[in-house]
């Protein structure tokens, strides 16, 4: 059996190694357009920033090492220019010599990945304007930094690459601005959770121009002007386009293979395309979202590796199935960690799901153990069924551990109420006896049992201030004095039982505290005395962060960046 693989990196290289482990006699040829067949794509910004100092550390395997271990014919600087399914060949060009030929195959695996989105804007292609996707892109940016020593950069886009680049460039002393059409960074997060990411970026001097559309680029004064719609240009010494990626599916499209979202390659759950004996994996393929069941594009290394393994097994005669991607991800944002899995509330509603949520701010480990830090967790679940839909966490130590627990729970089909029963490891330096994931489960369980009803950030503006409801802040007097929501009166939870006569029994009561715990206790006290109570999801800490973020974004709209 002869297997031809188009593209290396996560999907293609994984498949090649797996096929060899399954079939020692198979002839395996990999054609890779770049000069690198297996590299740490996610590590590229950290080489630019000097965190990773050795260029060779980015290369996981060379053609020589791959051949020595697996006897796979890895041909770099070779571009497949056309597919011929009817005669089971591919057209290949050696980019160094110009030689061209047709290579036959028995099985063909496409792993072309994705390419940086290149908007058709004036100025695209300027010398000081970069994209970041390959090792070659990384080396080009690093050479520019080392040679020209730029003092400022504009990053167009607000996803993973942009955040990682912002951190690395900022740590090297550069002035950094992120410009983004949506009014938030990191689309996997809901706006109130993204507000914590924005705060961390601003804390470290990154300027945010959110809600602005880039209309072009112009050379000026040795740098680049980033032209914005209805706002003054942003000037910088360099610009990095990081506005997302699109499937690199031209070969499949030209060969008549079925395509889907943004031209992505359509595959079934065996990673088979619409053409016989042709498989496809990685960022170029359309997948099923594990939570919503809808078609999706999810460009992450983890899914690409799994798809490469499944395709390899099926090429070798198995019947393996890929059950979908749920988009689990984590990113470092200076000292903070942000992670997500499944769908957020915004996308769940877009998918037509009826959703509810809990938001909590637990410590990462036992409160009495030194060094504890808060994290904010949002768990999204389906109303009525309590099916887990997704989770988002922003915080510091322990964020990655909790998101992996929640990702596993989603994959296992657990309900949000089942989180209360998870038996998780505990020692004071690592967690609490009631782990944050358990706490989320307790909160959902209380909702399911009718012990608490919630009100949300989006409800605040519509709360009556005419005296028809009681707005109650259950924090201490000092906390209340430091900042509170207009119209809320302060009765600390520990004084509540003695001051019930101040709260009319016939009025609904809307409660808030710093994190949601004390106001929940207050709600239970009031409910036991016959009051109709609603507890704020997320606490004043969430409210204050989200409100401040919204104000800064609106104020910045006129001038193009945060001030």
């Amino acid at each position: 059996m002869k297997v031809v693989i188009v593209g290396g990196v996560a999907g293609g290289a994984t498949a090649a190694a797996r096929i060899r482990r399954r079939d020692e006699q198979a002839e395996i040829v990999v054609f890779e357009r770049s000069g690198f067949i297996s590299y740490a794509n996610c590590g590229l910004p950290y080489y630019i920033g000097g965190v990773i100092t050795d260029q060779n550390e980015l290369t996981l395997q060379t053609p020589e090492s791959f051949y020595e271990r697996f006897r796979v014919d890895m041909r770099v600087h070779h571009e497949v220019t056309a597919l011929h399914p009817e005669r089971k060949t591919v057209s290949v060009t050696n980019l160094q010599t110009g030689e061209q030929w047709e290579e036959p195959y028995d099985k063909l695996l496409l792993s072309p990945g994705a390419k940086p989105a290149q908007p058709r804007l004036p100025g695209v292609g300027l010398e000081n304007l970069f994209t970041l996707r390959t090792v070659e892109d990384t080396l080009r940016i690093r050479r520019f930094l080392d040679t020209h020593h730029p003092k400022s950069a504009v990053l167009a886009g607000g996803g993973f690459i942009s955040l990682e680049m912002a951190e690395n460039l900022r740590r090297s002393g550069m002035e950094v601005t992120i410009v983004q059409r949506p009014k938030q960074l990191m689309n996997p997060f809901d706006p109130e959770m993204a507000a914590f990411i924005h705060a961390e970026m601003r804390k470290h001097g990154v300027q945010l121009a959110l809600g602005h559309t880039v209309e072009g680029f112009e050379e000026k004064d040795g740098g680049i002007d980033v032209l914005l719609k209805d706002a003054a240009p942003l000037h910088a010494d360099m610009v990095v386009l990081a506005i997302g990626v699109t499937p690199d599916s031209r070969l499949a499209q030209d060969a008549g293979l079925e395509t889907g979202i943004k031209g992505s390659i359509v595959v079934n759950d065996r990673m088979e395309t619409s053409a016989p004996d042709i498989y496809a994996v990685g960022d170029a393929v359309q997948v099923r979202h594990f939570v919503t069941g809808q078609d999706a594009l999810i460009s992450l290394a983890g899914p690409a590796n799994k798809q490469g393994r499944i395709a390899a097994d099926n090429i070798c005669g198995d019947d393996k199935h890929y059950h979908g991607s749920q988009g689990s991800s984590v990113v470092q944002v200076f000292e903070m960690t942000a992670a997500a899995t499944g769908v957020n509330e915004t996308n769940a509603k877009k998918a037509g799901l009826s959703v509810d949520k809990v938001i909590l701010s637990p410590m990462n480990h036992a409160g009495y153990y030194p060094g504890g830090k808060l994290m904010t967790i949002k768990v999204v679940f389906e109303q009525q069924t309590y099916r887990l839909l997704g989770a988002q966490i922003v915080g510091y130590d322990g964020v990655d551990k909790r998101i992996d627990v929640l990702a596993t729970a989603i994959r296992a089909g657990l309900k949000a109420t089942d989180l209360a029963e998870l038996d998780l490891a505990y020692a004071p330096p690592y967690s609490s006896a009631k782990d944050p994931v358990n706490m989320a489960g307790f909160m959902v369980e209380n909702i399911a049992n009718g012990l608490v009803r919630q009100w949300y950030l989006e409800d605040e503006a519509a709360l009556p201030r005419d005296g028809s409801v009681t707005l109650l802040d259950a924090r201490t007097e000092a906390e209340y004095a430091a900042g509170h929501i207009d119209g809320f009166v302060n009765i600390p939870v520990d004084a509540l039982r003695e001051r019930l006569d101040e709260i009319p029994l016939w009025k609904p009561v809307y409660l808030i505290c710093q994190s949601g715990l004390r106001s929940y206790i207050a709600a239970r006290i009031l409910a036991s005395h016959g009051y109709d109570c609603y507890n704020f999801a997320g606490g004043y800490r969430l409210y204050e962060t989200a409100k401040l973020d919204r104000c800064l974004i609106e104020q910045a709209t006129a001038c193009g960046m945060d001030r």
Side-chain angles (χ1 to χ4, degrees):
M1 176 177 66
K2 180 175 181 179
V3 182
V4 169
I5 299 175
V6 180
V9 198
T14 294
R18 178 66 173 174
I19 292 169
R20 174 57 70 225
R21 291 194 295 269
R22 293 296 308 275
D23 187 343
E24 185 64 19
Q25 282 69 49
E27 180 184 357
I28 308 169
V29 182
V30 179
F31 294 112
E32 168 57 44
R33 181 171 47 200
S34 75
F36 301 85
I37 54 96
S38 182
Y39 56 87
N41 193 292
C42 298
L44 301 183
Y46 298 98
Y47 175 71
I48 291 171
V51 177
I52 299 172
T53 57
D54 186 352
Q55 173 187 329
N56 294 324
E57 292 294 326
L58 297 174
T59 305
L60 305 179
Q61 292 275 3
T62 65
E64 295 76 20
S65 67
F66 213 99
Y67 181 81
E68 184 177 351
R69 177 67 56 83
F70 298 110
R71 295 299 189 268
V72 170
D73 186 1
M74 287 283 189
R75 304 187 196 180
V76 295
H77 300 301
H78 281 68
E79 181 175 11
V80 173
T81 57
L83 313 180
H84 310 290
E86 69 284 355
R87 56 181 182 269
K88 300 186 77 169
T89 65
V90 298
S91 294
V92 185
T93 298
N94 184 325
L95 298 177
Q96 293 179 313
T97 67
E99 180 186 3
Q100 298 180 351
W101 72 95
E102 284 193 16
E103 186 84 17
Y105 64 82
D106 296 309
K107 304 286 184 180
L108 175 65
L109 175 65
L110 304 178
S111 180
K115 55 188 176 183
Q118 288 273 21
R120 295 181 178 179
L121 297 175
V124 169
L126 291 174
E127 182 182 359
N128 295 13
L129 193 151
F130 303 88
T131 58
L132 179 58
R133 184 66 178 174
T134 66
V135 174
E136 285 88 349
D137 294 335
T138 306
L139 299 181
R140 180 172 170 244
I141 295 173
R142 182 65 179 268
R143 283 195 299 270
F144 182 84
L145 296 176
D146 292 342
T147 302
H148 297 279
H149 307 290
K151 304 295 187 213
S152 59
V154 168
L155 309 178
F160 292 98
I161 292 295
S162 189
L163 264 65
E164 291 166 352
M165 281 294 294
E167 177 179 345
N168 280 280
L169 295 178
R170 189 77 189 106
R171 289 192 188 282
S172 68
M174 293 178 63
E175 295 295 321
V176 178
T177 300
I178 297 177
V179 59
Q180 159 100 328
R181 182 185 300 170
K183 291 188 176 182
Q184 72 165 79
L185 304 175
M186 296 298 292
N187 287 333
F189 294 82
D190 288 312
E192 72 274 22
M193 298 296 285
F196 291 95
I197 299 174
H198 299 168
E200 185 74 3
M201 300 295 279
R202 295 184 184 109
K203 174 183 173 183
H204 288 87
V206 177
Q207 295 180 316
L208 305 179
L210 304 177
H212 288 279
T213 301
V214 176
E215 293 196 320
F217 308 92
E218 288 183 355
E219 286 185 303
K220 187 174 182 180
D221 300 331
I224 298 182
D225 269 1
V226 181
L227 308 179
L228 304 179
K229 183 178 181 180
D230 300 326
L234 300 174
H235 183 77
D237 296 330
M238 63 180 291
V239 173
V240 179
L241 278 179
I243 58 176
V245 295
T246 57
D248 192 355
S249 56
R250 179 188 58 81
L251 289 173
Q253 291 176 338
D254 291 349
L257 275 61
E258 183 182 355
T259 55
I261 303 171
K262 294 184 179 180
S264 57
I265 304 170
V266 172
V267 294
N268 60 20
D269 62 0
R270 299 183 76 252
M271 308 314 299
E272 295 170 317
T273 70
S274 58
D277 295 319
I278 300 181
Y279 298 75
V281 300
D283 294 352
V285 305
Q286 176 179 287
V287 298
R288 183 181 72 86
H289 197 288
F290 183 80
V291 174
T292 67
Q294 297 178 347
D295 293 334
L297 294 178
I298 298 179
S299 299
L300 294 168
N305 274 281
K306 297 176 187 70
Q307 293 161 15
R309 179 183 174 91
I310 288 170
D313 283 347
N314 289 331
I315 286 171
C316 292
D318 279 357
D319 186 25
K320 297 289 182 64
H321 300 267
Y322 185 67
H323 298 295
S325 302
Q326 65 191 66
S328 300
S329 59
V330 63
V331 64
Q332 179 178 303
V333 187
F334 293 96
E335 276 74 47
M336 179 178 280
T337 300
T341 187
V343 289
N344 60 24
E345 181 185 5
T346 304
N347 290 330
K349 289 179 176 178
K350 287 180 181 178
L353 297 171
S354 178
V355 303
D356 203 349
K357 64 205 173 194
V358 293
I359 304 173
L360 60 155
S361 297
M363 298 285 282
N364 66 304
H365 59 57
Y368 60 82
Y369 189 85
K373 293 184 178 180
L374 288 173
M375 64 177 71
T376 301
I377 303 176
K378 179 174 182 177
V379 175
V380 181
F381 56 94
E382 192 171 35
Q383 288 181 340
Q384 272 56 77
T385 70
Y386 293 93
R387 178 170 70 104
L388 268 174
L389 301 177
Q392 303 151 60
I393 311 179
V394 290
Y396 302 90
D397 292 342
V399 167
D400 54 340
K401 176 169 71 171
R402 274 58 184 233
I403 205 68
D404 282 344
V405 171
L406 289 161
T408 303
I410 291 172
R411 180 64 57 158
L414 299 186
K415 294 182 178 181
T417 48
D418 293 329
L419 300 177
E421 297 293 329
L422 292 181
D423 194 347
L424 303 174
Y426 157 61
Y430 301 105
S431 185
S432 299
K434 293 181 287 189
D435 187 86
V437 175
N438 294 136
M439 292 297 297
F442 297 154
M443 293 171 69
V444 179
E445 195 174 59
N446 285 337
I447 293 171
N449 293 334
L451 294 178
V452 67
R453 287 177 291 175
Q454 300 187 109
W455 67 280
Y456 307 103
L457 183 65
E458 57 268 27
D459 300 327
E460 184 266 331
L463 285 179
R465 263 73 171 187
D466 59 1
S468 61
V469 301
T470 298
L471 305 177
L472 181 60
D473 190 319
R475 296 177 297 160
T476 65
E477 292 179 359
E479 288 174 308
Y480 180 83
H484 59 269
I485 303 177
D486 182 50
F488 277 71
V489 297
N490 179 222
I491 301 180
V493 62
D494 293 337
L496 184 60
R497 291 180 180 89
E498 288 71 41
R499 297 175 63 177
L500 289 176
D501 59 345
E502 300 177 30
I503 308 171
L505 185 60
W506 56 271
K507 292 182 183 181
V509 183
Y510 289 82
L511 297 110
I512 191 170
C513 72
Q514 192 68 13
S515 68
L517 176 58
R518 285 174 287 172
S519 52
Y520 163 67
I521 295 171
R524 292 307 306 147
I525 294 171
L526 292 173
S528 69
H529 287 85
Y531 288 88
D532 181 19
C533 301
Y534 300 84
N535 189 29
F536 181 70
Y540 187 79
R541 177 173 173 268
L542 177 86
Y543 171 86
E544 184 179 43
T545 301
K547 280 289 188 179
L548 176 60
D549 181 60
R550 193 175 303 168
C551 289
L552 289 172
I553 291 171
E554 295 304 325
Q555 290 172 8
T557 299
C559 65
M561 65 181 71
D562 285 352
R563 297 296 187 189

